Amino acid sequence: HVSRLHRSTVGPFFLDNCAVIDHLGPHSRAVVARTEFAEIAALPERDWDARRHSSFAYMLFPNTVLVLHPDYTSILTMLPVAADETLFRHVMLVPQLPQDEKTEAHYRRSFELIEGGVFQAEDLHIAEQAQIGMASGANRTMIYGRFESGIRRFHETLDEWLGTSSVKDESQ
């Protein structure tokens, strides 16, 4: 979804639909290729820089996500308040306290872009719209897209832990 949902913010920094998701128990890791990923083929292995060439998101079940940006880390925590309400918290970790105004301004701009532009205006906005759509009762089921397997996996994991069966495979 990165290049489409985030087309006005961080989408241009990523290759379209170039990602890998791995699962370890209830947890997941998504690796999304940045536009710089193509450089790797011409670089000696010692010059490969995973955080420059890709972004990593670690989903720690049930409610925490770590996003490794090129020069800082975001920690996202979602805490359910009600069936249709969630408290969202974003903390930015930097490798060290900024030593000058230029570095402090860089981190401030980065936080504003990610928190205000990506998370609040895009991710959470679309999540709120989806919640409104689901609450309307217009659809009895939801179809997960091929490139959103992480969402399906999350709900399958919830089913496992809660002893329920909300995810159905309609293709069989």
Side-chain angles (χ1 to χ4, degrees):
H1 76 268
V2 176
S3 64
R4 285 168 186 67
L5 178 60
H6 304 302
R7 67 183 167 274
S8 299
T9 54
V10 298
F13 300 113
F14 293 89
L15 296 177
D16 189 23
N17 286 324
C18 190
V20 174
I21 299 177
D22 298 312
H23 305 287
L24 179 62
H27 316 291
S28 300
R29 174 185 64 187
V31 182
V32 183
R34 299 176 67 84
T35 54
E36 296 87 355
F37 191 80
E39 296 174 357
I40 290 176
L43 294 174
E45 191 171 337
R46 70 179 177 278
D47 292 335
W48 293 1
D49 182 347
R51 286 180 76 164
R52 187 168 150 261
H53 296 108
S54 303
S55 282
F56 296 79
Y58 293 89
M59 284 66 76
L60 307 176
F61 185 80
N63 65 340
T64 302
V65 178
L66 304 176
V67 181
L68 279 60
H69 306 282
D71 60 347
Y72 64 93
T73 299
S74 289
I75 301 176
L76 313 173
T77 308
M78 284 72 56
L79 301 166
V81 176
D84 61 351
E85 184 179 355
T86 301
L87 175 65
F88 173 85
R89 182 166 186 202
H90 172 211
V91 174
M92 176 190 212
L93 297 179
V94 297
Q96 62 184 22
L97 285 174
Q99 301 298 309
D100 53 50
E101 289 182 23
K102 180 180 176 185
T103 305
E104 186 172 334
H106 163 73
Y107 286 129
R108 188 177 320 108
R109 282 190 312 274
S110 295
F111 184 82
E112 289 168 0
L113 170 66
I114 296 300
E115 171 62 18
V118 175
F119 297 147
Q120 294 293 332
E122 296 168 343
D123 287 324
L124 295 178
H125 173 74
I126 202 75
E128 289 171 351
Q129 297 308 303
Q131 186 67 41
I132 290 167
M134 288 182 282
S136 76
N139 297 304
R140 298 186 71 212
T141 61
M142 178 181 291
I143 298 171
Y144 298 108
R146 187 171 27 154
F147 296 118
E148 294 292 355
S149 63
I151 296 171
R152 180 185 175 109
R153 175 68 178 148
F154 175 76
H155 286 281
E156 289 171 341
T157 301
L158 276 179
D159 282 350
E160 290 171 23
W161 282 71
L162 297 173
T164 60
S165 59
S166 66
V167 178
K168 309 279 189 260
D169 188 352
E170 299 295 327
S171 65
Q172 297 180 10

